[in-house]
Amino acid sequence: MRKLFGTNGVRGILNKSISVETLVRLGYAIGTYFEGGRLLVGMDGRIGSPIAKEATVSGLLAAGCEVLDLGLAPTPVIQYDARFNEVDGCVIFTASHNPPEYIGVKVCGSDGVEIPREGEEKIESIFFEGSYKLAEWDMVGRVRNVTGSIERYIEAVIRHVDRHLIAKHRYRVVVDPGNGVSSLTIPHILKALGCEVYTINDHIDGRFPGRLPEPSEENLSGLIKAVKVFDADLGVAYDGDGDRAVFVDEEGVFHPGDRSLALIEDYVMEKKPGAILVTPVSTSQVVDDIAERRGGRVIRVKVGSVDVSWAMKKLNAELGGEENGGVFYGLHQPVRDGGITTVLILHILAVRDMKLSEALSMLPVYHIIKRRVQCRDEFKHKILSILEEKVKDIGIKVEKVDGLKIWLDNREWVLIRPSGTEPIYRVIAEAPSYERAEKLAEEYTKLIIETARSLSG
Ligand code: MG
């Protein structure tokens, strides 16, 4: 079966791996899937996004869809506005954290949640079979602009926290949107919460001149420096489309996304014992420790925000989260949302009257090491079954939610997983000590390389 959708929508480089013609036909296919319904569209600040939007929208209109155009906005704003506009679905033009040359198309339902995998497969089969239903000449759709979305979103986010308590602390916050669209919302949200706001890389620029759109530690040296220079209480950085947030504490120390997730989890489960966190198999076991401490539950799913959102909907879960800084807050919307993540962290600091470093130091410490191993797509499946055979007697158990997760003991695991989007295998190892995690990552990387060699040789 040929594929269009990866882990997170359709992605490609305009005029190279994805053409305008493809986007128009994708518009036909999406329009056919929604039976010519009413769709909300919006985009990130990438150079190719306006072209991607115009091309796809042409296809949607030809398929008889009515299109509401929200314009430039963070992904969670577009998702949040779906219900307000009573649409049948949304189409969001974003390549999230990918390098600047990429564009992307993400399809969501009437509640703003990405359509399930089966929906993506349906669109793919309409696309590849060419079984579009195009409208008669006088039944094609029209575009209408939507206003007020950003303001609605900002209000909605603030409603979830104690704004007066946060305002009393007059937090000094450095914001790094990384030249992405979260500069449209975050500084305004923080000002409404009485924060003193400093920004870097805050003009929207699809070339991402300030830093790459992925908010990883190596891309955030500017933010780390700025937190110290401005003597701030914390720094926060977003990916290109603003659905993920990661934090730097008052000492200028970067914290991986699963640490801030665990802090939010601790707060949610303290408030509501028995609360559920949905998270992929790759997230640190720190979330299991917190759930045990607070009497909550952790449900593990495949890697990817679609799987987290759908499990949350099914279980009516309070919280979802990923190690990359994606936090899904059920009371707001079951999709990842950098705005709600930011205000929840401020709320927790205000309620506990703690510095960020102090609040995070209450969490158990683990070390995660990640590796990538090149592997041709055609071998991926074969390698996985050979590895499965090789590891079945190692450790105390093997889980197969996504790839193979081998538990060496109660506190050490290795996850080996073929990437859904690139010709690579990912190896993630976690242990209480850095040295041990590194040793495990090394060992299992070698195992994959040897297995691949035995196949191609
Ligand atoms: Mg994103």
Side-chain angles (χ1 to χ4, degrees), residues 70-144:
L70 186 153
L72 201 58
T75 296
V77 172
I78 304 164
Q79 292 174 300
Y80 183 78
D81 228 36
R83 274 192 218 149
F84 177 84
N85 286 292
E86 297 177 346
V87 289
D88 299 302
C90 346
V91 186
I92 303 172
F93 300 92
T94 173
S96 184
H97 62 279
N98 284 156
E101 61 272 24
Y102 280 82
I103 55 161
V105 185
K106 178 171 163 132
V107 185
C108 305
S110 57
D111 56 357
V113 174
E114 285 158 90
I115 57 168
R117 297 287 180 211
E118 308 87 72
E120 295 180 349
E121 283 162 18
K122 228 183 222 168
I123 292 173
E124 281 167 342
S125 71
I126 298 169
F127 179 92
F128 288 115
E129 287 164 13
S131 52
Y132 319 119
K133 284 204 183 65
L134 300 186
E136 292 298 324
W137 68 273
D138 57 349
M139 295 299 282
V140 295
R142 278 208 273 180
V143 182
R144 196 152 57 76

Side-chain angles (χ1 to χ4, degrees), residues 12 22 27 97 135 168 212 266 293 312 314 316 333 339 367 421:
T22 301
H97 62 279
K168 266 192 207 153
L212 286 171
D266 188 54
R293 192 191 283 175
M312 282 183 76
K314 215 170 89 190
N316 201 14
Q333 55 176 349
H367 295 272
T421 48

Side-chain angles (χ1 to χ4, degrees), residues 96-97 239 241-244 336:
S96 184
H97 62 279
D239 71 332
D241 66 328
D243 59 357
R244 296 197 269 126
R336 50 183 179 203

Side-chain angles (χ1 to χ4, degrees), residues 213-264:
E214 171 69 43
S216 56
E217 186 172 7
E218 62 270 25
N219 291 338
L220 299 183
S221 53
L223 177 63
I224 290 168
K225 209 183 286 169
V227 166
K228 293 181 196 159
V229 169
F230 294 117
D231 191 24
D233 295 298
L234 69 154
V236 55
Y238 303 85
D239 71 332
D241 66 328
D243 59 357
R244 296 197 269 126
V246 294
F247 297 86
V248 168
D249 71 23
E250 76 286 357
E251 311 279 350
V253 176
F254 168 87
H255 293 275
D258 34 22
R259 309 287 295 170
S260 36
L261 168 64
L263 191 57
I264 295 172

